[in-house]
Amino acid sequence: MGTPEFPDLGKHCSVDVCRQIDFLPFTCDRCNQVFCLQHRSYISHQCLNASQKDVTVLICPLCAMGVRLVLDEDPNITWDLHVNTDCDPSNYQRATKKRRCPVPGCKEILNLSNSIRCSDCTQEHCLKHRFGPDHKCPGPKKLDSGFPFIGLLNRSQKGKLLQSSSSSSSSWWGASLMNAVSNVRASAESGMLKFSDAATQALQKAKHGIAESSNNDELMEHSEHAKRSHLRSSQAAGNRVTIDVCPKCSKGFRDPVALVEHVEKDHGGTSLT
């Protein structure tokens, strides 16, 4: 089997009458044996484990539901269990009802291959009536123009008007809310009045303070002027000097000693009298 270069290449078919060497063999997923292309199926090599993974489903004639048969269990037991537990005859009409095109006069049965859902009216139609004009499509729902929340606000207001007659709690909440708002508004107005009064008083006090300060400055200026005048008069009185006059030559002298020396020197010691 194989070649000198690849001795493990290829395997023989497990069927005794075949035993053909196959370089691309098939392995059965039930019995895990190797087969050639001709004997790869379950039936061709008569696989003993072929029914282990088979799934058999029976359609119930009463409810049109599928009943799966359990391996190595009597089908009659499985059937009795379904009839006593899961069977619902009312589901038969829903399951067996055939979908038809909703266009009047059209009897086309709809299935996965010949039905199209309209994107505007979201209904399924046959291929013949798939376009909007063919099935008289009303078109998409019109949105509210203008502000996007106007329609929602209007609807909410209408709902409130309808519910106001039947529900008294909502009116009580509304009255409470209005009372709270009025109280807050009154407190705010009183606060503003108090603030304006305080501001007016502060401005008046400031004005009186400015006037008093100006009067005090004037008084201080007058007192300073009087002090300076008195000082000047006192200085003038203190600086007044007595002048002695020579009886001979009528020359004045501030110092009497200088007058005596003048008389003795210039007038030869003559007496002043």
Side-chain angles (χ1 to χ4, degrees):
M1 183 176 63
T3 61
E5 292 81 4
F6 302 99
D8 297 331
L9 183 62
K11 292 181 180 180
H12 291 281
C13 181
S14 299
V15 178
D16 295 335
V17 296
C18 181
R19 303 298 298 173
Q20 180 182 359
I21 184 172
D22 196 333
F23 295 101
L24 295 174
F26 296 89
T27 302
C28 180
D29 58 349
R30 304 295 174 87
C31 60
N32 295 323
Q33 293 183 5
V34 179
F35 299 97
C36 63
L37 179 62
Q38 183 180 359
H39 299 99
R40 69 185 187 278
S41 62
Y42 301 143
I43 298 175
S44 60
H45 68 267
Q46 298 179 357
C47 184
L48 300 177
N49 300 327
S51 61
Q52 289 183 357
K53 295 183 179 181
D54 289 346
V55 177
T56 304
V57 178
L58 300 177
I59 303 300
C60 177
L62 301 177
C63 62
M65 291 181 62
V67 180
R68 180 175 180 177
L69 299 181
V70 182
L71 186 65
D72 298 334
E73 186 181 39
D74 189 1
N76 295 324
I77 297 176
T78 305
W79 181 260
D80 292 339
L81 182 62
H82 164 70
V83 171
N84 295 327
T85 56
D86 299 333
C87 187
D88 185 11
S90 63
N91 188 51
Y92 184 82
Q93 295 293 334
R94 294 192 299 269
T96 59
K97 184 179 180 180
K98 297 180 180 180
R99 297 181 300 119
R100 297 183 182 274
C101 181
V103 176
C106 183
K107 298 181 180 180
E108 184 72 19
I109 298 175
L110 301 180
N111 50 43
L112 296 176
S113 61
N114 68 342
S115 61
I116 295 179
R117 184 180 298 274
C118 180
S119 59
D120 294 334
C121 61
T122 66
Q123 292 185 357
E124 292 185 353
H125 302 82
C126 63
L127 297 178
K128 182 180 179 181
H129 302 100
R130 63 184 183 274
F131 296 111
D134 296 334
H135 63 266
K136 296 181 181 180
C137 182
K141 295 182 180 180
K142 295 183 179 180
L143 300 176
D144 295 334
S145 60
F147 193 71
F149 297 103
I150 292 297
L152 181 60
L153 181 60
N154 294 332
R155 288 193 295 270
S156 63
Q157 291 178 353
K158 291 180 180 178
K160 289 180 179 179
L161 292 175
L162 293 175
Q163 293 177 358
S164 60
S165 60
S166 60
S167 61
S168 60
S169 61
S170 60
S171 61
W172 180 81
W173 280 106
S176 301
L177 181 61
M178 292 301 294
N179 293 330
V181 171
S182 61
N183 293 332
V184 172
R185 184 176 180 180
S187 61
E189 290 178 354
S190 62
M192 290 298 295
L193 291 175
K194 291 180 181 180
F195 177 76
S196 62
D197 294 339
T200 304
Q201 293 177 1
L203 290 175
Q204 291 178 357
K205 290 181 179 180
K207 289 181 180 180
H208 289 301
I210 292 172
E212 291 177 357
S213 63
S214 61
N215 294 330
N216 294 331
D217 293 339
E218 291 178 358
L219 293 175
M220 291 295 292
E221 289 179 359
H222 287 300
S223 62
E224 290 292 334
H225 182 68
K227 288 181 180 180
R228 287 195 295 269
S229 300
H230 180 69
L231 181 61
R232 289 175 183 175
S233 61
S234 62
Q235 288 179 355
N239 293 332
R240 187 177 300 170
V241 180
T242 303
I243 300 175
D244 296 328
V245 180
C246 179
K248 299 294 184 181
C249 61
S250 301
K251 187 176 181 178
F253 294 92
R254 296 182 178 179
D255 190 5
V257 178
L259 177 61
V260 173
E261 292 178 355
H262 166 70
V263 171
E264 291 179 354
K265 183 179 179 181
D266 294 340
H267 298 288
T270 305
S271 176
L272 293 174
T273 56

